[in-house]
Amino acid sequence: MFTAAALQSDSKPEQYAELAEQARGLLHGERDRIANAANFAALVYNALPGLNWAGFYFFDGTELVVGPFQGQPACVRIALDKGVCGAAASTRQTQVVLDVHAFPGHIACDAASRSEIVVPLVVDGNLLGVFDVDSPELARFDEDDRVGMERLAAIFLQSLRAE
Ligand code: SME
């Protein structure tokens, strides 16, 4: 049984390195997308400080539909031209939003959210969905988080295709 360990470092790059190792261990040997998404969201949500939501939206061919997550109940469907999630999905670029109130079209699922990072999930050129993380703190996410979250998202995607 996998046991999540508290992060040992105060440095963000080191925290993400520790978390990457835990994510690999947690997802090892399982390829089911829902199972791995659920455990991955729970790992990130419980490991990193200052979060109020962490989870997935999967692309159904038309729009984004909420998947496994931790946090308050969320909006179910997001069009690709709506919100931070839609922006990440349609541009296929990670969105780091320091102040969600200043982001045109931001969708407030939890009124407590103040900043957000959304990583697009692309497999063989096809949009699988996005990984979305919210914080009640203003400017919670920076370049270290972008690099770290993209690395974590890659580990999730790799788990789906591992032999
Ligand atoms: N804030 C997101 C919507 C999803 S919730 O944050 C969970 C957005 O603007 O796309």
Side-chain angles (χ1 to χ4, degrees):
M1 174 62 193
F2 175 88
T3 307
L7 299 179
Q8 298 300 309
S9 175
D10 289 335
S11 128
K12 278 189 182 181
E14 288 176 15
Q15 287 185 338
Y16 279 105
E18 289 178 45
L19 205 42
E21 199 172 322
Q22 292 196 29
R24 274 190 213 96
L26 177 62
L27 306 182
H28 179 74
E30 179 55 64
R31 293 173 61 183
D32 184 88
R33 186 174 74 174
I34 299 300
N36 285 359
N39 264 336
F40 183 87
L43 178 71
V44 172
Y45 182 80
N46 287 292
L48 292 177
L51 307 184
N52 64 330
W53 204 89
F56 290 83
Y57 279 85
F58 290 120
F59 184 54
D60 72 353
T62 305
E63 55 193 355
L64 297 168
V65 182
V66 76
F69 67 90
Q70 300 276 311
Q72 294 292 332
C75 334
V76 175
R77 291 174 181 274
I78 299 177
L80 292 191
D81 61 351
K82 293 282 187 314
V84 185
C85 290
S90 55
T91 63
R92 299 185 176 197
Q93 299 283 318
T94 297
Q95 305 291 305
V96 178
V97 178
L98 303 183
D99 178 358
V100 296
H101 296 160
F103 186 94
H106 167 256
I107 301 163
C109 292
D110 181 342
S113 295
R114 296 302 308 277
S115 59
E116 180 162 4
I117 182 167
V118 185
V119 181
L121 305 172
V122 177
V123 177
D124 297 333
N126 298 314
L127 180 68
L128 179 72
V130 300
F131 182 59
D132 178 17
V133 181
D134 289 13
S135 173
E137 299 166 17
L138 207 54
R140 161 67 179 79
F141 306 106
D142 60 15
E143 181 62 13
D144 285 342
D145 293 284
R146 185 186 65 74
V147 171
M149 291 288 187
E150 287 180 352
R151 185 182 303 168
L152 289 175
I155 291 168
F156 167 73
L157 291 177
Q158 180 60 36
S159 76
L160 307 183
R161 49 205 303 164
E163 292 300 315

